[in-house]
Amino acid sequence: MTVSIVLFTSDLRLHDHPPLRAALDGADAVVPLFVRDEAVADAGFTAPNRMAFLADCLTDLDAGLRDRGGRLVVRSGDVADEVARAAVEADADAVHIAAGVSAYAHRREERLRAALEPQGRRLHVHEAVITALAPGAVTPAASDHFAVFTPYHRHWARQPLRDPVAAPRAVRVPDGVGSEAIPSRPDVSTVSEGLARGGETEARKRLTAWLRDGIGAYEDRHDDLPGDATSRLSPHLHFGTLSAVELVHRARGVGGPGAEAFVRQLAWRDFHHQVLAARPDASAADYRPRHDRWRSGAEAQEDIEAWREGRTGYPVVDAAMRQLRHEGWMHNRGRLLTASFLAKTLYVDWRVGARHFLDLLVDGDVADNQLNWQWMAGTGTDSRPNRVLNPLTQARRYDPEGAYVRLWVPELAGIAGRAVHEPWKVRGLDRAARDYPDPIVDLSEGLARFKKARGLD
């Protein structure tokens, strides 16, 4: 009997899973394996919200495999060692894995090859599993990646995508391969109270509802803070409980301006992945250095803590930061304005904000999170690196009647209409009694400080 291993990473699904399909087609039995990688924990990426969501995903994946006659094998430790050990136990000829883009993913592939090839076992790395297009599928003539989104998107949109692969009907797992217990959400502490459920079953329900009821209005409403009209599929893309390839195909099948705008966001995701694949150090270093001398010291730390806690005195900023803490997720418009506020209005290193987001975001993807933060800090791919989002202008435009603020900043719930965005102007309002602070910075002073730091004054 021939055996292959499928190493699941950020692709925790059965639908449209090319590595699983290839393993099933090339062997009599497969070992569906997930390794709780100790290197991920050592690097500080085991945030409680993602670990709870991951537990949901693994539980659901195991259930899906059992429905098909199989099961999920879970191990903990060094990923290369655990894969090699499972290969010996199962007498597996080959290991299949989805290609990653981070520096760590590349090192993981190298270490897997080094562990498997001396044993005569092959490693098969499959592209376009985590993204719609492989990072190197489109490149400009004089570079290994696109540094500007618009030309990337123009090329990306013309590329044919592979067809989605059907979920298997049966999965045979060989005997004698031991597994740890599947982790469960209750095993994880300090999880955000409003964290969504994970798993492919939940993902496909949400996708069906989105295509039926939400995508048509996406172009017009994706920035609507109180309307909450985004897909909320980003956690499922991050964990791979949904396929980006399938999402593009199905959105294009719906058609219309809303679907086109949604597909454009999927292209943005691929864009960031191809940047990180070509420039792995962009996860921590400025992609385009501006020679910033970010604020530090006690005063800056006080501002950072106020920002983290959602107590900056700017209600729309505070609302978004509190949504993040409660849900482990934040509206896309909120991500932009809170990042601009920290990096430019407060002039604090973007890495401080990116780290806080990774500590809480269930969809905390290194490529998207770090490169979006660099975009807003002006150190990334933005062609207008010195733009500053004014939180009051943003609030009036995207939360015109203040409903989003009143939802997340209950201290101000009694202020009607758009006046809630500037509580310091409301006559007779006792903000101390409501336990809501004055603004920690004057916007004009923050802007002047940023311009001076960037040599724009």
Side-chain angles (χ1 to χ4, degrees):
M1 181 176 69
T2 58
V3 179
S4 289
I5 291 175
V6 179
L7 179 60
F8 288 89
T9 55
S10 299
D11 49 354
L12 303 177
R13 63 180 184 270
L14 297 178
H15 292 79
D16 192 34
H17 198 289
L20 177 60
R21 173 53 58 192
L24 290 168
D25 289 345
D28 299 315
V30 301
V31 178
L33 175 64
F34 181 84
V35 177
R36 301 171 74 177
D37 189 353
E38 63 184 18
V40 175
D42 292 343
F45 287 110
T46 52
N49 286 338
R50 290 196 294 282
M51 291 303 98
F53 199 90
L54 171 64
D56 293 346
C57 295
L58 296 177
T59 299
D60 189 73
L61 181 58
D62 180 59
L65 288 165
R66 289 182 183 277
D67 287 344
R68 293 162 171 82
R71 62 188 173 93
L72 181 64
V73 175
V74 175
R75 301 284 181 85
S76 297
D78 178 87
V79 64
D81 291 345
E82 293 302 324
V83 171
R85 186 161 67 89
V88 170
E89 292 174 12
D91 193 21
D93 299 317
V95 174
H96 296 261
I97 185 175
V101 303
S102 68
Y104 174 71
H106 295 319
R107 290 195 300 272
R108 179 177 60 200
E109 291 172 15
E110 293 171 359
R111 295 188 65 245
L112 285 169
R113 283 194 182 90
L116 294 169
E117 289 180 354
Q119 301 176 354
R121 310 180 203 278
R122 301 180 306 278
L123 178 68
H124 299 279
V125 179
H126 298 261
E127 298 283 0
V129 178
I130 293 171
T131 54
L133 284 183
V138 290
T139 56
S143 178
D144 57 355
H145 73 290
F146 279 93
V148 178
F149 175 71
T150 299
Y152 173 80
H153 180 244
R154 189 164 54 247
H155 286 78
W156 183 94
R158 292 199 297 260
Q159 295 298 309
L161 299 184
R162 63 171 179 80
D163 292 329
V165 178
R169 294 183 178 181
V171 178
R172 180 184 180 187
V173 179
D175 296 330
V177 182
S179 175
E180 300 172 2
I182 306 295
S184 64
R185 181 181 283 221
D187 296 334
V188 186
S189 60
T190 64
V191 175
S192 290
E193 182 180 345
L195 184 71
R197 300 298 302 181
E200 184 178 17
T201 300
E202 177 66 24
R204 298 193 74 78
K205 288 179 182 177
R206 187 173 288 276
L207 173 60
T208 298
W210 168 247
L211 295 175
R212 183 186 64 235
D213 302 325
I215 198 170
Y218 182 74
E219 182 184 38
D220 296 328
R221 299 191 60 206
H222 69 276
D223 279 321
D224 180 359
L225 282 166
D228 194 15
T230 64
S231 72
R232 286 186 176 251
L233 294 177
S234 56
H236 295 288
L237 281 166
H238 174 63
F239 284 90
T241 52
L242 285 177
S243 153
V245 169
E246 182 183 1
L247 258 62
V248 174
H249 277 293
R250 294 189 66 178
R252 285 174 172 169
V254 173
E260 291 175 7
F262 180 66
V263 169
R264 184 179 175 88
Q265 293 305 309
L266 295 172
W268 265 109
R269 181 174 180 269
D270 276 15
F271 172 74
H272 286 148
H273 279 73
Q274 61 95 39
V275 171
L276 189 64
R279 299 290 183 271
D281 61 346
S283 64
D286 290 348
Y287 179 78
R288 289 183 174 136
R290 305 294 175 188
H291 308 293
D292 288 295
R293 300 184 65 178
W294 304 105
R295 291 173 64 221
S296 60
E299 182 182 352
Q301 191 59 43
E302 288 179 6
D303 288 350
I304 292 167
E305 290 306 314
W307 177 82
R308 286 173 175 159
E309 294 170 6
R311 293 185 58 79
T312 67
Y314 289 96
V316 73
V317 172
D318 296 340
M321 295 303 294
R322 295 184 193 189
Q323 180 183 28
L324 171 62
R325 187 167 295 279
H326 180 79
E327 295 188 355
W329 184 88
M330 188 194 293
H331 191 286
N332 63 287
R333 178 51 53 175
R335 299 186 196 208
L336 297 176
L337 69 92
T338 55
S340 175
F341 188 82
L342 182 74
K344 290 178 173 172
T345 302
L346 297 180
Y347 198 56
V348 168
D349 193 332
W350 63 268
R351 282 158 282 248
V352 173
R355 178 72 261 177
H356 182 70
F357 272 31
L358 284 179
D359 286 343
L360 290 174
L361 281 176
V362 65
D363 60 10
D365 181 274
V366 170
D368 283 327
N369 185 67
Q370 308 302 86
L371 291 172
N372 272 318
W373 267 96
Q374 291 226 45
W375 173 275
M376 292 313 304
T379 63
T381 61
D382 190 1
S383 59
R384 294 171 57 197
N386 297 314
R387 77 175 87 193
V388 178
L389 299 184
N390 182 305
L392 298 181
T393 303
Q394 294 282 303
R396 296 181 191 116
R397 182 176 301 163
Y398 301 117
D399 186 26
E401 296 304 316
Y404 179 74
V405 163
R406 281 188 288 275
L407 174 64
W408 293 109
V409 189
E411 309 96 293
L412 304 179
I415 304 177
R418 63 177 55 199
V420 74
H421 296 308
E422 299 176 277
W424 58 89
K425 290 185 177 180
V426 178
R427 291 186 177 180
L429 180 67
D430 187 348
R431 292 196 303 286
R434 292 173 181 262
D435 189 30
Y436 189 72
D438 289 326
I440 62 173
V441 62
D442 181 272
L443 294 180
S444 60
E445 292 177 2
L447 180 61
R449 177 173 57 199
F450 173 70
K451 286 184 174 181
K452 182 178 180 180
R454 286 277 172 95
L456 304 173
D457 57 349

